[in-house]
Amino acid sequence: MLGFELTEEQIELKALARKFAEQEIIPRARECDEKETFARDVCEKAFAAGLMNFGVPKNLGGPGLGVLDASLITEDLCYGCAGITNSITANDLATLPLLIAGNEEQKRVFLGGLLKKLSFCAFAITEPGAGSDVASMSTTYRREGDEFVLRGTKHFISNGSVSDWIVTFATSDKRLRHKGISCFVFPANLPGITRRRMHGKLGQRAADTGEIVYDDLRVSASAMVGREGEGFKYAMATFDHSRPETAAIGIGIAQRALDECVKYSRQRSAFGQPISNFQALQFMMADMAIEIEAMRLLTYKAAWMVDHKAPPNVNSSYAKAFCADACMKITTDAVQIFGGYGYMDEYPVQKLMRDAKLLQIYEGTSQIQRVVIARNLLRE
Ligand SMILES: Cc1cc2nc3c(=O)[nH]c(=O)nc-3n(C[C@H](O)[C@H](O)[C@H](O)COP(=O)(O)OP(=O)(O)OC[C@H]3O[C@@H](n4cnc5c(N)ncnc54)[C@H](O)[C@@H]3O)c2cc1C
C-alpha cells in the first residue's frame, strides 16, 4: 500500500518545530551566523520543548521517534537556521552507534543521561588525514590490562568542543583498514582529551565544530561499543540511519529560500512591474518547487525504509546526494533572484547558500554518495 499522509502526531511535531524555528531560531540566526555564536540558550529551549534527542528510546524515557519523525522535525527547524539546528540535532548522530551496537549499560548511562539536563554528544570519526577514506584513520588504540589507550586526533567534529560525551573510532592496526576499527564511548572530560573549537566556517557558523585530541587517553574496557573490529560496520550503519535526517536539512533550507524568493519577487520592481511578472524568474521558482517536492519524496521514502528496516541502504544515499545538490542549486538561484541585494547580508538568501554548501561535504560528500550508489549498481 502506498500512502503519503502524515500521522496526527507527525503533523503536530512539524508544527511545533516550525513554530520553534519562527519564534526562537530565526530571531537569533543572523547574529549567531555573524559572530559564530553557539546558541546554548536556544538549545536549552529546544530541550525543554522536547525537540532534542529524538531517537532515545521510550524505555529510557526518551521520545523514541523514528527517522521519518526526526527528519520532519529537522526540516522545519532548518527553515530557521541550519547552523543553530546542527547544535540541536548533532546528538542524533552520536546516539546512533549506541542504538545500533551499544549494551544496556552504555544506553542507560549515555543515552539516559541526555534526558536529565541539556547535554551534548559528538560523533568523532573524521581526522585531519582521513575523511572520505574512513578506513585509513590513524587514531590507534591498544589494550593494557583492563583499559584501552587511545592516541590520535579527530577534527571537524560537530559539537566537538561542547560535548559531554564522545563516540569515537580507532584502529588497532592501520594496515587492517576497516577490519581494524573499533568504536568507543566515554565522557569528554577525561584526562588525556584536549579539545578546541574550530573557527572560520563558510556557513552553518553557529554550529560548534571541534578538534579533539586523544593523548594516551585511558578508558576502561567497558568503553568499547559492540564487538572489537566491527567499528567500521557500525559507522556505516550509522550513516544509513542519519543520512535521511541530513537530507531533510536541505529541504528546510531550500523551502526557506523559495519562500523568501516568492515574497521578494512580489515586492521588488523593475521595468515598471514586480519582478515576479518575469517568466524567467517564475520558471526558476517553479523549478525550485519541483525540486523541493522531489527532495521530500526521496527523503521521506529513505527515512521510511530505515524505520521499516528495509534493505538496501542505497536510498539514504539517493536522498542525501539529491537533497544536498538540489539545495545548493536552489539557494544559488535564490541569490540570483534577489540580484545585488541577494549578495548582501541584509537579506537571508546569501546565508542559506553558505549553509547549503556543507550538505555536499559532511556525512559523506556528494561524490561519496555516488560511490555508494554506483557500487550498489555494479555489485555482482
Ligand atoms: C562543518 C563540518 C561538520 C562536520 N561534522 C562532523 C562530525 O560531526 N563528525 C565527523 O566525524 N566528521 C564531521 N565532518 C567531517 C566530514 O564528514 C568530512 O569533511 C567529509 O567526510 C569529507 O572528508 P574530507 O574533508 O577529509 O575530504 P576528503 O575526503 O579529503 O575529500 C576531498 C575531495 O575528494 C573527493 N573524494 C574523496 N574520495 C573520493 C572517491 N573515492 N571518489 C570520488 N571523490 C572522492 C571528495 O568528495 C572531496 O571532493 C564535518 C565536516 C564539516 C566541514
Side-chain angles (χ1 to χ4, degrees), residues 20-58:
F20 189 86
E22 281 165 0
Q23 292 183 350
E24 306 294 347
I25 299 181
I26 290 177
R28 297 292 307 287
R30 184 173 170 187
E31 172 229 327
C32 289
D33 175 59
E34 266 172 27
K35 298 185 182 157
E36 294 188 278
T37 307
F38 180 73
R40 186 177 279 272
D41 56 324
V42 180
C43 297
E44 270 305 346
K45 289 178 183 166
F47 178 73
L51 290 170
M52 275 185 82
N53 307 312
F54 309 133
V56 178
K58 286 193 170 136

Side-chain angles (χ1 to χ4, degrees), residues 53-351:
N53 307 312
F54 309 133
V56 178
K58 286 193 170 136
N59 66 347
L60 293 171
L65 297 179
V67 176
L68 177 56
D69 302 329
S71 301
L72 294 168
I73 296 171
T74 300
E75 174 184 327
D76 277 287
L77 292 178
C78 285
Y79 191 86
C81 171
I84 294 176
T85 302
N86 181 297
S87 311
I88 295 170
T89 59
N91 280 9
D92 294 338
L93 181 64
T95 55
L96 280 168
L98 296 190
L99 290 170
I100 291 164
N103 60 36
E104 290 313 308
E105 182 62 3
Q106 289 166 338
K107 287 181 189 167
R108 189 185 65 75
V109 171
F110 292 102
L111 301 185
L114 290 175
L115 307 169
K116 291 186 182 134
K117 62 178 176 57
L118 174 69
S119 35
F120 299 99
C121 46
F123 174 95
I125 198 163
T126 304
E127 302 182 353
S132 305
D133 185 7
V134 169
S136 72
M137 70 174 58
S138 299
T139 298
T140 56
Y141 74 88
R142 63 178 194 275
R143 185 145 193 160
E144 280 191 11
D146 284 344
E147 291 179 327
F148 289 111
V149 184
L150 275 72
R151 196 168 177 78
T153 301
K154 301 291 179 182
H155 82 165
F156 295 159
I157 307 304
S158 298
N159 282 352
S161 82
V162 296
S163 54
D164 297 277
W165 54 268
I166 301 167
V167 167
T168 206
F169 298 81
T171 179
S172 58
D173 181 347
K174 205 176 154 146
R175 290 165 302 182
L176 295 174
R177 295 223 5 121
H178 60 279
K179 288 183 183 155
I181 296 171
S182 297
C183 178
F184 301 88
V185 61
F186 42 77
N189 60 358
L190 297 177
I193 300 179
T194 49
R195 300 184 289 166
R196 69 173 180 95
R197 186 169 179 186
M198 301 172 81
H199 291 280
K201 294 201 296 286
L202 175 72
Q204 302 200 20
R205 288 162 54 82
D208 175 82
T209 307
E211 180 187 75
I212 306 174
V213 179
Y214 310 125
D215 186 4
D216 283 341
L217 163 68
R218 288 181 174 274
V219 295
S220 75
S222 62
M224 185 173 279
V225 178
R227 286 205 287 266
E228 186 161 18
E230 305 240 312
F232 183 84
K233 205 170 86 183
Y234 304 146
M236 295 306 119
T238 293
F239 292 136
D240 291 345
H241 281 70
S242 68
R243 281 173 182 155
E245 197 177 322
T246 308
I249 297 170
I251 307 174
I253 297 174
Q255 184 66 59
R256 175 75 184 281
L258 174 57
D259 290 354
E260 294 289 340
C261 287
V262 169
K263 190 167 74 181
Y264 183 81
S265 66
R266 285 185 175 137
Q267 290 163 356
R268 176 75 177 167
S269 287
F271 299 93
Q273 54 189 312
I275 60 170
S276 60
N277 280 2
F278 302 133
Q279 198 178 54
L281 300 196
Q282 289 174 0
F283 279 13
M284 281 167 86
M285 290 188 277
D287 282 342
M288 289 180 185
I290 295 167
E291 279 166 0
I292 291 169
E293 185 64 9
M295 291 162 89
R296 286 208 169 94
L297 292 175
L298 274 175
T299 301
Y300 295 176
K301 181 177 175 191
W304 184 94
M305 288 181 78
V306 177
D307 284 339
H308 287 78
K309 301 185 179 12
N313 58 31
V314 77
N315 287 71
S316 291
S317 288
Y318 291 163
K320 163 75 167 60
F322 186 81
C323 288
D325 295 349
C327 185
M328 196 65 238
K329 177 173 178 296
I330 288 167
T331 53
T332 306
D333 285 349
V335 171
Q336 191 66 26
I337 287 173
F338 273 65
Y341 290 100
Y343 202 67
M344 310 301 286
D345 65 4
E346 183 186 348
Y347 288 96
V349 284
Q350 48 76 35
K351 174 181 178 298

